[in-house]
Amino acid sequence: MGNLRQPYFLSALLACLAAMAASGGLWLNGLYRDSPYIVPQARGQDAVTLAVSLPLLVVALLWSRQGSPRAKLLWLGQLAYLLYAYATYAFGTAFNQFFLLYVAVFGLTLFTLLGMLLKANVEKLSAGFRPGRISGFTGAFLVMVGVSGIALWLRDIIPANLAQRVPESIKLMGTPTHVM
């Protein structure tokens, strides 16, 4: 992946900023001014960020300094998670005191992830992996999760469209759509 000094620095900064944002989401009552349908989801995402994603990001940073290709993939995966999570906060939640923090995490994550992907040596990264049971299971699991998500959305959207009404889930969320 070439020189990773800048991505290491940016990722460490991202970990600190995301920890601040997620901590605020969990412990500052009234931060989220969204519908009662969205607030528990945002707080759950904050809990996952603090308890799972940020520790994995730190471990990936430490292990990748030792040259582990798996750690680099884990690092990229955690950046992708943070990108999605903070896109959700920046574009999908009601404006609050942490809006600029959400935008900062989103923007820094986007540029860090893109920079790393542009420097990635795919052949070298994939050399440490063999196709087999685990990769087949992982692929099947990801397909199952995707199909389940599509089925859940379509279960609400298709009947509403046929009846020419707004889906109930959209009314509950209080946002125009729930793609994010």
Side-chain angles (χ1 to χ4, degrees):
M1 275 198 179
N3 182 3
L4 294 175
R5 179 179 292 161
Q6 186 178 34
Y8 278 117
F9 172 77
L10 291 175
S11 295
L13 178 61
L14 284 168
C16 294
L17 295 175
M20 288 171 42
S23 296
L26 286 175
W27 292 297
L28 292 177
N29 289 329
L31 177 68
Y32 296 119
R33 294 179 243 168
D34 298 278
S35 75
Y37 188 71
I38 292 178
V39 172
Q41 292 178 36
R43 294 184 70 144
Q45 188 163 290
D46 288 330
V48 168
T49 297
L50 280 176
V52 179
S53 181
L54 293 179
L56 285 175
L57 178 60
V58 170
V59 166
L61 288 172
L62 295 173
W63 285 351
S64 69
R65 290 188 73 88
Q66 298 170 0
S68 168
R70 291 176 188 217
K72 286 184 176 82
L73 287 176
L74 179 60
W75 182 5
L76 289 169
Q78 294 316 302
L79 289 176
Y81 166 82
L82 289 173
L83 182 67
Y84 179 81
Y86 285 91
T88 302
Y89 290 125
F91 300 113
T93 60
F95 182 84
N96 64 41
Q97 302 94 299
F98 280 19
F99 174 74
L100 291 177
L101 185 56
Y102 302 152
V103 172
V105 174
F106 173 73
L108 282 172
T109 305
L110 176 65
F111 289 111
T112 303
L113 183 59
L114 286 176
M116 287 182 68
L117 289 173
L118 290 172
K119 292 179 183 181
N121 181 339
V122 177
E123 290 81 24
K124 189 174 179 181
L125 280 174
S126 63
F129 297 92
R130 295 181 307 270
R133 259 196 210 158
I134 292 177
S135 59
F137 173 78
T138 303
F141 175 76
L142 292 173
V143 168
M144 182 190 72
V145 168
V147 169
S148 298
I150 291 168
L152 285 171
W153 277 7
L154 292 180
R155 185 188 74 190
D156 195 27
I157 293 169
I158 290 175
N161 280 349
L162 292 174
Q164 296 183 345
R165 62 178 170 76
V166 175
E168 206 53 42
S169 61
I170 300 295
K171 291 179 189 176
L172 289 171
M173 290 192 60
T175 58
T177 63
H178 59 289
V179 172
M180 291 301 287

